[in-house]
């Protein structure tokens, strides 16, 4: 019987839904490094597995069918016929189960630091027994030690401590029940049934699910799967190599609809009024150009998570001043304000431009910006 999973949502409500399933002993906060980047393009839905975080804690043992059934129930509750899915570790095992048994519900799939089989089952039964007897604190240190490379753990002890507390705070029965689900998980002979376009990401230094026999096997047996092995990454690679993971996930999931992703970002940055005006003026002659900038400039470049929107706005303003594109400058001053820049910060951009682009150009830019500020205040 399914349980109502605790979940959080972020991003545009009308964007493609993206479910994020975390590692054993974590909560939705495991995905904190991904939320801002992914929420630009997707309706991001993070959930706690049963027995974890804010989700109910039924008596174990659990099965992967139980965990996957919970996700299907969540999708039904949210009215989602299909969704993208990204999962790490046990979250990735749930993703495999969903893609095998409910392919009609999974659009595109990303499997991070996971495995199609994590035997021997006895080891997982032993861990479950230990946690039931002594609590999750008994395994927290050994678990988190495998999540990060030694260099990362030494350099960022505060972050490691926060994640350790997630493990220690997990309900013992919930943790144990999920251990038993992992112990019986084996989809090695079913991977060929996965039809969703699949990205597989592994950490080169992951002692829990090393690439050989895990990610490599998944990529070999899932038709058309793409494998990426990240250097200097252990098990919780979504945290340790967050920038690389954000880029990989955004590109993988957005590639299904570059035009739609670009339209959403374009509206968020330039505003509905401008986009509607541009669309109303589009003709058969200009439509290919509008499609090009929507898919490429907005759907591929502006959706990349490597720079935040504030930084991108600063760069655009500078480039427009440098090339004297005055007709577009006012539009991008408004966009910069929408992206969180204050008028004083825009002024700093133009002062910088005065040095490197020329005083007359900066003078013109200040004048245009003042007109926009007055328009906004009015």
């Amino acid at each position: 019987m399914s349980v109502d999973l605790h979940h959080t949502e972020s991003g545009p409500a009308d964007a493609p839904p993206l479910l994020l399933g975390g590692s054993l002993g974590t909560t939705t906060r495991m995905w904190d490094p991904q939320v801002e980047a992914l929420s630009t393009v997707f309706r991001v839905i993070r959930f706690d597995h049963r027995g974890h975080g804010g989700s109910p804690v039924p008596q174990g043992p659990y099965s992967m069918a139980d965990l996957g059934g919970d996700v299907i129930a969540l999708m039904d509750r949210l009215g989602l016929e299909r969704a993208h899915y990204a999962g790490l570790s046990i979250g990735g095992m749930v993703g495999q189960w969903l893609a095998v048994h409910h392919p009609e519900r999974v659009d595109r799939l990303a499997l991070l630091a996971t495995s199609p089989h994590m035997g021997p089952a006895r080891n997982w039964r032993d861990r479950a027994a230990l946690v039931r007897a002594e609590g999750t604190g008994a395994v927290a240190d050994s678990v988190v030690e495998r999540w990060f490379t030694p260099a990362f753990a030494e350099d960022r002890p505060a972050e490691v401590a926060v994640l350790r507390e997630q493990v220690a705070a997990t309900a013992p029965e919930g943790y144990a029940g999920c251990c038993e689900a992992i112990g019986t998980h084996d989809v090695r002979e079913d991977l060929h049934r996965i039809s969703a376009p699949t990205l597989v990401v592994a950490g080169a230094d992951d002692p829990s699910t090393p690439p050989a026999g895990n990610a490599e096997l998944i990529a070999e047996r899932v038709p058309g799967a793409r494998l990426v092995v990240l250097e200097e990454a252990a098990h919780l690679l979504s945290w340790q190599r967050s920038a690389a993971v954000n880029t990989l996930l955004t590109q993988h999931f957005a590639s299904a609809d570059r035009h739609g992703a670009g339209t959403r970002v374009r509206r968020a940055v330039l505003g509905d009024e401008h986009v509607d005006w541009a669309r109303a003026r589009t003709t058969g002659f200009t439509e290919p150009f509008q499609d090009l900038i929507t898919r490429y400039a907005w759907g591929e470049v502006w959706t990349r998570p490597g720079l935040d929107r504030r930084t991108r706005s600063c760069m655009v303003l500078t480039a427009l001043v440098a090339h004297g594109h005055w007709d577009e400058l006012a539009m991008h001053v408004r966009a910069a304000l929408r992206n969180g820049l204050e008028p004083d910060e825009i002024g700093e951009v133009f002062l910088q431009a005065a040095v490197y682009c020329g005083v007359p150009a900066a003078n013109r830019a200040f004048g245009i910006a003042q007109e926009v500020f007055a328009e906004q205040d009015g």
Side-chain angles (χ1 to χ4, degrees):
M1 183 177 179
S2 64
V3 302
D4 289 344
L5 298 179
H6 169 259
H7 70 283
T8 61
E9 296 192 40
S10 57
D14 60 346
L18 169 58
L19 294 159
L20 299 180
S23 182
L24 179 66
T26 67
T27 69
T28 57
R29 292 199 59 197
M30 191 206 90
W31 296 105
D32 282 356
Q34 279 67 56
V35 172
E36 181 177 357
L38 296 179
S39 297
T40 298
V41 186
F42 307 106
R43 175 187 174 186
V44 177
I45 304 164
R46 295 178 284 168
F47 63 87
D48 291 329
H49 298 292
R50 63 166 61 194
H52 286 61
S55 291
V57 188
Q59 186 69 32
Y62 310 153
S63 68
M64 209 55 66
D66 292 327
L67 302 180
D70 293 341
V71 176
I72 294 295
L74 174 62
M75 293 178 68
D76 290 343
R77 189 152 42 104
L78 296 176
L80 304 177
E81 292 186 10
R82 291 172 63 85
H84 299 312
Y85 183 96
L88 187 145
S89 194
I90 190 174
M93 298 175 201
V94 172
Q96 294 168 60
W97 186 91
L98 290 169
V100 167
H101 295 281
H102 292 276
E104 76 284 356
R105 308 300 295 269
V106 180
D107 197 345
R108 298 177 76 87
L109 178 67
L111 304 173
L112 288 66
T114 193
S115 175
H117 173 63
M118 285 286 288
R122 180 180 63 255
N123 293 352
W124 293 100
R125 290 195 299 268
D126 290 345
R127 190 191 293 195
L130 173 62
V131 167
R132 285 190 175 104
E134 301 182 22
T136 45
V139 299
D141 288 330
S142 61
V143 166
V144 175
E145 184 179 7
R146 301 167 73 83
W147 281 0
F148 304 107
T149 59
F152 182 92
E154 181 178 351
D155 186 54
R156 297 161 83 168
E159 294 177 41
V160 174
V162 168
L163 289 159
R164 182 200 178 280
E165 283 308 305
Q166 285 190 34
V167 178
T170 303
E173 185 60 29
Y175 190 98
C178 284
C179 284
E180 290 158 333
I182 294 173
T184 58
H185 168 68
D186 188 353
V187 294
R188 287 174 291 183
E189 302 305 318
D190 296 315
L191 292 172
H192 70 280
R193 296 169 54 189
I194 295 178
S195 57
T198 301
L199 169 69
V200 185
V201 185
D205 304 309
D206 183 356
S208 298
T209 53
N214 295 293
E216 291 177 2
L217 181 62
I218 296 173
E220 176 186 325
R221 296 191 179 183
V222 174
R226 177 193 176 198
L227 171 64
V228 177
V229 179
L230 297 177
E231 300 297 328
E232 298 181 9
H235 193 57
L236 208 65
L237 50 80
S238 61
W239 197 284
Q240 182 165 357
R241 295 295 310 278
S242 59
V245 168
N246 291 348
T247 298
L248 288 169
L249 293 180
T250 301
Q251 292 177 336
H252 176 64
F253 291 122
S255 63
D257 184 15
R258 287 291 183 191
H259 191 279
T263 298
R264 285 186 292 277
V265 175
R266 192 179 184 186
R267 286 186 178 280
V269 173
L270 300 182
D272 289 335
E273 182 178 356
H274 171 80
V275 176
D276 290 340
W277 174 82
R279 291 184 65 177
R281 296 179 69 248
T282 300
T283 66
F285 178 67
T286 62
E287 192 278 331
F289 173 71
Q290 288 294 323
D291 180 64
L292 172 70
I293 61 174
T294 300
R295 285 187 297 103
Y296 183 68
W298 297 103
E300 293 197 23
V301 176
W302 271 84
T303 58
R304 291 178 65 85
L307 298 173
D308 60 31
R309 290 185 186 174
R310 287 169 49 87
T311 303
R312 291 187 188 277
S313 276
C314 290
M315 296 172 68
V316 170
L317 292 176
T318 303
L320 293 175
V321 172
H323 290 277
H325 295 311
W326 309 120
D327 290 341
E328 292 195 12
L329 184 61
M331 175 179 69
H332 278 281
V333 169
R334 297 186 191 96
L337 292 170
R338 192 174 287 108
N339 284 340
L341 287 172
E342 297 293 334
D344 288 348
E345 293 175 307
I346 294 173
E348 291 297 325
V349 173
F350 291 157
L351 282 174
Q352 193 81 0
V355 175
Y356 294 97
C357 303
V359 171
N363 183 56
R364 181 76 179 273
F366 271 106
I368 292 173
Q370 279 193 311
E371 292 177 4
V372 172
F373 299 155
E375 166 195 298
Q376 298 288 316
D377 290 339

